[in-house]
Amino acid sequence: MSHDVHKVRAFEHPGEGRRRAKATPKGRQVDPTAAHEIELLLGDRPRRRDLLIEFLHLIQDKYHQISAAHLAALADEMSLSFAEVFETATFYAHFDVVKEGEKDIPPLTIRVCDSLTCAMMGAEQLLSELQNKAGPDVRVVRAPCVGFCDSAPVAEVGHRYVLNAKASDVLDTAARGEVHPIIPSFVDYDAYVKDGGYKLLGDLRAGRVSKEDILKVLDDSSLRGLGGAGFPTGRKWRAVLGEPGPRVMAVNADEGEPGTFKDRFYLLRDVHRFLEGMLIGAHIIDAEDVYIYLRDEYPAAHKLLPIEIAKLPPGGPRIHLRRGAGAYICGEESSLLESLEGKRGLPRHKPPYPFQVGLFGMPTLINNLETLFWVRDLVEKGASWWTSQGRNGRHGLRSYSVSGRVKDPGVKLAPAGVTVRELIDEFCGGMADGHTFHAYLPGGASGGILPASMDDIPLDFGTLEKYGCFIGSAAVVIMSQQDSVKAAALNLMRFFEDESCGQCTPCRVGTQKAAILMQRPVWNRALLDELSQAMRDASICGLGQAASNPVTSVIKYFPEEFVPKEAAE
């Protein structure tokens, strides 16, 4: 074998010498065939713990499942316990672990998104039709948001998406064996360079532009993290730079918030604008390694990125592309770090914060993909260009992911502070035919739900909190009179229940109990309020803290939903 494998020596007791191994070793035995298959699959890759999830993907991709025999062989090959490998494999939804005695999984899987926008557009009917009509060699399962909310409902056949899906289209795609992703038209390296791309990076590396020049633009423009938290970008870069090296950078491209798809939009259209911003950030903090954590639901991006990364100007940091595995919690920055280290995505307690003790214990700069996308434009056009944008007293631009009952859904680059009414009328072509504006989610699944009567609130950081909502990653879902906000809140709570990592009781049990209470014909509002408060106060991370926002906002702003029909009549 071409790599070093750690061998555990037999126990030596003082004065007794080495004990002879028992004829029948304890623990799970490694199947020789599985061991050979794993050795061939891993090839000459280093057997590092942080590559465990990548190796699980190799098994899943080749065999369409992960058997107990392969898990045991992988554990042996990496000198890990079976428990360590098993707990990681079973944590992530996209690893189909087949336990001993269970039937093999069919070779083809069709996933039907059942998150809010897809549910509004008929996902349940689509799922039912596919389950009834798919053959024995096809498995049809539910899937949480896959990031194509503007084309709902959506189904994934292997790694090929069928948008605005009908059952017949999905089954025809499967019958033709069209299971590989399609890369859309995009600005490639040559076109990007021709348009001035990487000049700023070159000037920075050559000293013609200083680190302080870049940081000042970020400070003056007040660019904030666009993944949802909104932390000032310049301040974050300075904080990491202020820690002793070595330092590392991580890109959070794991947008899994139902309703959000802006990162996919930019990545698959102008990938090098993001990559240049990433390399500038790495240079500022002197990072020798950059890790891009990209959600598994974006197979086209996984196919595109290695091709374009290989074309980058020489002399930069080592770039590691890592693949998520279907865990919404890994969008939380400390969970992302755990996943990058090859572990379950369990949030870390803070402090210390990632800028102090992050990936592999090093100070780590973590930025959302879209945040980095804007760095070049900000420096070339100036901070005043950015701050001159905005409405209703706000500044800058926002990429709103708009889905639901509008004529023209999609990513809408609009002034920060635009209202939902302006967004619908000016950027989305108005409401869809036959639909009347009834309610909206201003910030994705965890950002709350507001009535149409509150359509004049500027959509930006800091404008929605007093209403119990927030903008987050600016995922705006528009609902009409045909949609029930109670049903929407239940859909979202089931999502949080499924995606809770289970580490803390308030989130693990709270989301489960809330979903049960919300399925009842009459909500116990007092009990739901009490449960929501406990989740907000005691959950470790933002998932549990924000999961109840849709519930509390429905109770507060939609009293008509709780009036019996006979009373209303």
Side-chain angles (χ1 to χ4, degrees):
M1 296 175 64
S2 60
H3 59 280
D4 294 328
V5 179
H6 173 70
K7 299 297 184 183
V8 180
R9 297 182 62 193
F11 174 75
E12 293 183 7
H13 191 278
E16 292 186 5
R18 182 177 298 180
R19 288 185 180 180
R20 299 180 65 180
K22 293 184 178 181
T24 305
K26 293 181 179 180
R28 185 177 298 272
Q29 300 305 298
V30 177
D31 177 74
T33 300
H36 180 64
E37 290 170 343
I38 292 299
E39 185 178 349
L40 289 177
L41 197 59
L42 269 56
D44 60 358
R45 297 174 177 87
R47 271 57 168 173
R48 299 196 316 265
R49 171 59 194 264
D50 63 289
L51 293 173
L52 174 58
I53 294 173
E54 294 298 301
F55 294 161
L56 290 169
H57 275 302
L58 291 177
I59 302 171
Q60 178 74 40
D61 289 345
K62 183 172 179 61
Y63 298 102
H64 310 291
Q65 62 182 35
I66 303 177
S67 68
H70 281 143
L71 282 180
L74 180 62
D76 183 69
E77 185 73 11
M78 298 186 69
S79 299
L80 297 172
S81 71
F82 181 83
E84 288 178 282
V85 177
F86 181 81
E87 72 177 9
T88 301
T90 53
F91 180 85
Y92 296 92
H94 289 184
F95 295 140
D96 297 316
V97 177
V98 179
K99 301 173 185 176
E100 291 179 354
E102 293 182 343
K103 292 182 179 180
D104 285 348
I105 292 172
L108 179 62
T109 294
I110 296 175
R111 289 184 168 86
V112 179
C113 177
D114 69 350
S115 288
L116 181 57
T117 306
C118 282
M120 290 163 55
M121 300 299 182
E124 285 297 327
Q125 181 179 346
L126 175 64
L127 178 69
S128 178
E129 288 185 36
L130 290 173
Q131 288 175 332
N132 291 332
K133 296 178 180 178
D137 293 333
V138 177
R139 179 180 64 147
V140 180
V141 297
R142 296 177 181 272
C145 187
V146 296
F148 286 87
C149 315
D150 52 338
S151 303
V154 179
E156 184 184 16
V157 180
H159 294 299
R160 172 76 63 90
Y161 282 106
V162 181
L163 308 180
N164 304 118
K166 297 179 181 178
S168 58
D169 297 334
V170 176
L171 295 172
D172 287 346
T173 300
R176 292 191 297 266
E178 296 174 349
V179 296
H180 301 294
I182 299 174
I183 298 177
S185 298
F186 69 99
V187 179
D188 65 8
Y189 177 79
D190 291 337
Y192 183 74
V193 170
K194 187 177 180 180
D195 191 39
Y198 294 111
K199 182 181 182 303
L200 175 59
L201 176 65
D203 289 342
L204 178 63
R205 289 178 175 175
R208 292 185 292 271
V209 173
S210 71
K211 292 183 179 182
E212 183 57 35
D213 291 336
I214 304 290
L215 291 169
K216 187 176 187 305
V217 171
L218 296 180
D219 291 337
D220 291 347
S221 65
S222 300
L223 179 67
R224 301 175 67 165
L226 298 173
F231 193 84
T233 304
R235 193 191 309 173
K236 177 182 284 191
W237 288 23
R238 291 182 187 277
V240 177
L241 188 57
E243 295 293 316
R247 309 177 194 93
V248 67
M249 182 177 184
V251 178
N252 187 345
D254 192 54
E255 60 174 357
E257 183 85 359
T260 306
F261 45 91
K262 63 181 180 63
D263 291 350
R264 169 185 61 80
F265 177 86
Y266 288 120
L267 184 59
L268 290 177
R269 282 162 177 77
D270 202 354
V271 59
H272 285 281
R273 197 169 298 268
F274 146 64
L275 289 173
E276 183 169 12
M278 178 189 77
L279 292 174
I280 289 170
H283 184 88
I284 295 289
I285 67 162
D286 300 316
E288 294 184 358
D289 291 274
V290 177
Y291 290 79
I292 303 174
Y293 190 91
L294 178 60
R295 68 184 310 216
D296 195 31
E297 288 85 349
Y298 292 166
H302 279 284
K303 188 176 179 180
L304 166 69
L305 269 172
I307 297 171
E308 297 304 311
I309 287 174
K311 302 175 184 177
L312 291 176
R318 291 180 292 268
I319 299 175
H320 310 267
L321 178 59
R322 295 294 175 83
R323 184 174 166 188
Y328 166 74
I329 188 64
C330 290
E332 194 275 333
E333 61 178 10
S334 66
S335 301
L336 179 145
L337 297 178
E338 290 289 297
S339 191
L340 282 172
E341 293 179 0
K343 306 170 188 175
R344 294 175 294 167
L346 301 181
R348 299 175 180 177
H349 291 276
K350 303 172 187 177
Y353 295 96
F355 80 88
Q356 301 165 315
V357 181
L359 189 60
F360 309 122
M362 293 182 285
T364 304
L365 173 62
I366 306 175
N367 276 133
N368 170 255
L369 186 153
E370 194 205 348
T371 307
L372 299 170
F373 181 89
W374 289 112
V375 170
R376 175 191 164 190
D377 280 347
L378 279 171
V379 177
E380 291 183 349
K381 298 179 181 180
S384 59
W385 164 77
W386 183 263
T387 56
S388 66
Q389 316 286 335
R391 288 189 189 178
N392 301 307
R394 315 304 297 179
H395 301 286
L397 294 168
R398 290 304 303 267
S399 302
Y400 297 93
S401 302
V402 186
S403 64
R405 308 295 189 177
V406 293
K407 287 183 179 178
D408 183 24
V411 174
K412 309 298 178 181
L413 184 61
V418 69
T419 68
V420 70
R421 177 61 70 181
E422 292 168 337
L423 198 59
I424 294 171
D425 293 343
E426 298 179 33
F427 295 89
C428 300
M431 293 294 293
D433 293 338
H435 292 270
T436 303
F437 185 30
H438 174 57
Y440 68 106
L441 282 67
S446 53
I449 306 176
L450 293 173
S453 59
M454 299 174 67
D455 63 355
D456 58 350
I457 304 170
L459 300 179
D460 196 17
F461 294 117
T463 61
L464 293 152
E465 282 76 3
K466 63 183 178 181
Y467 305 106
C469 300
F470 56 79
I471 188 67
S473 58
V476 182
V477 182
I478 305 299
M479 302 173 66
S480 77
Q481 82 285 359
Q482 296 186 18
D483 304 305
S484 164
V485 292
K486 287 179 68 176
L490 175 58
N491 177 285
L492 300 173
M493 186 57 70
R494 284 173 171 162
F495 169 81
F496 292 126
E497 177 190 5
D498 188 57
E499 295 294 335
S500 173
C501 75
Q503 181 178 193
C504 69
T505 302
C507 178
R508 181 185 68 251
V509 177
T511 52
Q512 179 190 45
K513 298 301 183 184
I516 292 172
L517 290 170
M518 294 165 69
Q519 291 176 56
R520 296 177 179 176
V522 179
W523 284 9
N524 185 330
R525 284 177 277 180
L527 187 55
L528 280 169
D529 277 336
E530 183 180 356
L531 182 60
S532 298
Q533 190 64 50
M535 291 167 64
R536 284 193 295 271
D537 290 343
S539 294
I540 291 175
C541 79
L543 191 156
Q545 294 164 9
S548 63
N549 286 344
V551 183
T552 54
S553 57
V554 167
I555 292 174
K556 182 176 182 179
Y557 296 115
F558 297 88
E560 70 278 4
E561 292 280 341
F562 301 96
V563 178
K565 289 185 178 180
E566 56 273 16
E569 293 173 354

